[in-house]
C-alpha cells in the first residue's frame, strides 16, 4: 500500500502528531469537568462557578485532580516541544529573530507546564503560597507563551501559513490577557473587602454576602482563562498533522559486556530509526 493510500485510510487525529494537542485538550477538559461534577455531587463546593482549584481541594477529588493534571502537564511538555521542533525546521538559519522567539517559547511553555505540576500537587488549602506560585507560572507564564507563539505566527506568514491562523491566535491571546486582568482586579477587590477572612479555605459562598460579586467575577474569569488556554492548543491540530518526529538508536558496541573478551566480530546493524510517535498507532 502506498503512502498516499495509507494517509487516506487514516482518521484525522492519526495524521502526523496532531494526537498530542488533541489529547492535551480532551484530557485537560475532562479533568476540569470530572472534578467539578465530583466536588458538586459531594457538596464540597457550590454549583455556581467555583474556582477550579476549589474543585480539587478536598479528597477524593483532589487525588484524581493531581494525577490528571500531572498527565496534562506531561502532554503540555510534549506539545510545546513538537511545536518548537516544527518551527525550528521551518525557519531559515538567517532568521535569528524567529529562532530566539522559538527558544523563548520552548522555555516559557515548559515553565508553564511545570507550574501545572505545582498546582496539581500543592492544594490551596494546604500550602497556599506554593499553589499561588504554581498558578502564576501556569497562567502568567502560559499567557506569555501564547503571546510569543502569536508573534511567531506573525513572522511566519505568509511564507509558511496564511494570516488567518495569526488572527485566530491573536484573538485568543487578547481573550487570555483580558481574563487575567479581570481575574486579578476582581480578586484584589474580593480580598480587600474581606479583611481577616481566610479566603483560601472558604469553599462556600452565600449570594449577597460581602465579597460575593467580585468572587463570582473572579471565578468566571478563571474559567474563561482556562478555556482560552484550551482553545489556543486547538490551533496546533492542523499544524501538527504535518509533522512526525523520529528517534534514532545509534549503537556504540555490538554487545552488552564490559570485558573485551566477549567482543563479537559479526557485523550488526549499528543504528535503528523509528517514528517517535507514528500516525498509525
Amino acid at each position: 500500500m502506498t503512502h498516499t493510500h495509507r494517509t487516506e485510510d487514516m482518521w484525522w487525529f492519526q495524521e502526523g502528531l496532531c494526537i498530542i494537542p488533541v489529547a492535551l485538550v480532551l484530557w485537560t477538559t475532562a479533568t476540569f469537568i470530572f472534578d467539578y461534577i465530583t466536588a458538586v455531587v459531594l457538596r464540597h463546593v457550590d454549583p455556581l462557578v467555583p474556582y477550579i482549584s476549589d474543585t480539587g481541594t478536598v479528597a477524593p477529588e483532589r487525588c484524581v485532580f493531581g494525577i490528571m493534571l500531572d498527565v496534562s502537564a506531561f502532554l503540555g511538555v510534549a506539545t510545546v516541544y513538537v511545536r518548537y521542533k516544527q518551527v525550528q525546521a521551518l525557519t531559515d538559519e538567517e532568521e535569528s529573530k524567529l529562532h530566539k522567539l522559538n527558544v523563548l517559547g520552548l522555555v516559557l511553555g515548559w515553565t508553564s507546564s511545570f507550574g501545572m505540576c505545582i498546582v496539581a500537587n500543592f492544594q490551596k488549602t494546604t500550602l497556599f503560597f506554593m499553589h499561588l506560585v504554581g498558578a502564576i507560572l501556569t497562567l502568567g507564564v502560559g499567557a506569555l507563551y501564547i503571546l510569543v507563539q502569536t508573534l511567531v505566527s506573525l513572522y511566519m506568514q505568509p511564507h509558511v501559513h496564511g494570516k488567518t491562523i495569526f488572527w485566530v491566535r491573536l484573538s485568543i491571546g487578547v481573550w487570555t490577557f483580558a481574563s487575567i486582568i479581570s481575574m486579578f482586579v476582581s480578586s484584589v477587590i474580593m480580598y480587600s473587602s474581606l479583611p481577616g477572612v481566610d479566603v483560601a479555605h472558604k469553599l462556600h459562598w452565600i449570594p449577597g454576602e460581602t465579597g460575593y460579586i467580585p468572587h463570582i467575577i473572579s471565578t468566571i474569569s478563571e474559567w474563561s482563562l482556562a478555556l482560552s488556554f484550551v482553545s489556543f492548543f486547538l490551533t496546533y491540530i492542523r499544524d501538527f498533522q504535518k509533522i512526525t518526529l523520529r528517534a534514532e538508536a545509534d549503537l556504540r558496541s555490538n554487545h552488552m559486556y564490559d570485558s573485551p573478551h566477549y567482543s563479537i566480530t559479526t557485523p550488526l546493524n549499528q543504528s535503528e530509526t523509528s517514528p517517535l510517535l507514528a500516525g498509525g498507532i
Side-chain angles (χ1 to χ4, degrees), residues 10-64:
M10 288 182 179
W11 293 93
W12 64 269
F13 57 83
Q14 292 179 288
E15 295 182 26
L17 295 176
C18 75
I19 187 64
I20 298 179
V22 169
L24 173 60
V25 169
L26 293 180
W27 185 268
T28 305
T29 302
T31 301
F32 295 154
I33 293 175
F34 177 80
D35 282 328
Y36 170 79
I37 293 175
T38 304
V40 169
V41 169
L42 296 178
R43 298 183 179 181
H44 292 159
V45 297
D46 299 322
L48 184 60
V49 203
Y51 280 117
I52 296 175
S53 297
D54 287 351
T55 65
T57 295
V58 183
E61 59 266 26
R62 75 178 180 187
C63 307
V64 180

Side-chain angles (χ1 to χ4, degrees), residues 6-7 19 30 73 113 122 128 144 148 158-159 167 184 268 270:
R6 182 174 179 271
T7 301
I19 187 64
S113 298
F122 293 90
F128 179 72
L144 294 178
V148 167
H159 59 286
W167 287 112
F184 176 77
L268 296 175
Q270 294 297 307

